[in-house]
Amino acid sequence: MRDLKNKLISGKNSTNIQSKKIKGFGYQVLGFGSGGGAAGIEVELLVIAGGAGGAGAGNGGNWTAAGGGGGGAGGYRASTQNLIPTETYTITVGDGGATVSGNYIGNDGSDSSISGSGISTTSTGGGGGGNSSTAGTNGGSGGGGGAIASGTTAAGISSPVTDPIQGYAGGTGLGSSRAGGGGGAGAVGVDADGGAGDGGAGASSEITGAAVTRAGGGGGGNYYDGQASTGGSGGGGVGGYKSSGGRAGGTGTVNTGSGGGGTGDTTASGAGGKGVVILRMADDSYSGTTTGSPTVATAVDGTDTVLTFTGTGSYTA
């Protein structure tokens, strides 16, 4: 197999993490997972949970001067693992958090996972954006804080092998109107300042043979006319704002695990994007035995077979 070259996209307050080579096995990528276990078939994995929805606007139930926080991206875990021949591995792909309309916090995203003999890897759904003057919730990446509230840190969810960081914190809300952006897989959500905070940047992976950025945070909502925030790179939804009729928060891009944008008026917030699970292995290691109808393709750099699961299924090694 070719070398794995996953990397994080830089963003405000982000930390660049270099890939670390493990002799005789492959790469442990970004600190999100680990190789090892029984000897078998080497497979690269990318497991991204569903992104959270952005929050609705409001202030104590009134439609006045309060933006909703952006939704956090779904947890992002990349690793190289060994699958045991003839064993079946179950894949679950998490849904994005649903939209809200009214003075409500954003809905969390759902977990994605792959499990079977020697492997149990779960990425945690993104944390919903905070409404009115509340903080966002914890998740794979944290939701952005509503107006006057702080964003939360991303949760460090344990696994049997390690305790990986799956994403970053949401940004802080400001004043009585501007909300923070949701955290992304590659950077924290931006704090509200002159406007609502942008969503945190996603992370880039070359598991399909070309660099693709996924799992961006949703932008924060803003009560003021026309002052929109942007979603984080990788599919984060834009933040909504007040105008004639209001502009709704943008939806996180499907199968990227990106967060939805918060809203700034009576319009709906953006829903989170559904997650994805991707496996890459040498062509002669691919068994051809799957359920759930994953997309099966040759990596764009000309080597290896790539399975992309956008829903529940399984792979038998």
Side-chain angles (χ1 to χ4, degrees):
M1 293 176 66
R2 52 99 180 141
D3 289 347
L4 186 60
K5 301 175 181 176
N6 289 9
K7 59 186 178 180
L8 289 179
I9 292 293
S10 296
K12 181 178 178 182
N13 297 328
S14 64
T15 303
N16 293 323
I17 305 173
Q18 301 297 322
S19 299
K20 181 179 179 181
K21 189 170 184 180
I22 302 174
K23 184 176 180 181
F25 179 64
Y27 286 82
Q28 178 171 318
V29 185
L30 306 179
F32 296 137
S34 64
I41 299 165
E42 185 177 279
V43 176
E44 296 168 18
L45 300 175
L46 181 61
V47 181
I48 303 177
N59 187 356
N62 299 317
W63 295 111
T64 55
Y76 185 109
R77 297 186 67 180
S79 64
T80 301
Q81 305 275 4
N82 275 355
L83 305 186
I84 298 174
T86 74
E87 293 291 329
T88 297
Y89 295 85
T90 300
I91 288 94
T92 300
V93 177
D95 289 326
T99 182
V100 298
S101 183
N103 190 23
Y104 298 102
I105 63 173
N107 288 299
D108 295 345
S110 299
D111 298 351
S112 292
S113 64
I114 179 170
S115 62
S117 183
I119 294 177
S120 181
T121 297
T122 299
S123 293
T124 305
N131 71 316
S132 187
S133 58
T134 65
T137 58
N138 283 328
S141 286
I148 322 175
S150 297
T152 60
T153 58
I157 303 301
S158 297
S159 76
V161 177
T162 185
D163 187 16
I165 295 173
Q166 300 181 28
Y168 289 85
T172 301
L174 177 70
S176 61
S177 60
R178 300 178 291 277
V188 298
V190 178
D191 295 342
D193 192 359
D198 296 335
S204 179
S205 167
E206 296 182 10
I207 193 169
T208 61
V212 178
T213 301
R214 303 176 180 87
N222 194 335
Y223 181 76
Y224 289 120
D225 287 355
Q227 296 181 0
S229 62
T230 61
S233 60
V238 298
Y241 56 84
K242 180 181 181 297
S243 63
S244 299
R247 187 182 88 166
T251 300
T253 302
V254 66
N255 299 134
T256 68
S258 295
T263 189
D265 205 340
T266 58
T267 53
S269 68
K274 189 173 186 177
V276 68
V277 175
I278 303 175
L279 291 72
R280 177 170 174 159
M281 66 202 75
D283 292 333
D284 59 5
S285 295
Y286 175 53
S287 71
T289 304
T290 66
T291 66
S293 303
T295 299
V296 182
T298 299
V300 296
D301 56 7
T303 63
D304 301 337
T305 297
V306 178
L307 281 67
T308 301
F309 286 85
T310 58
T312 299
S314 67
Y315 175 66
T316 301

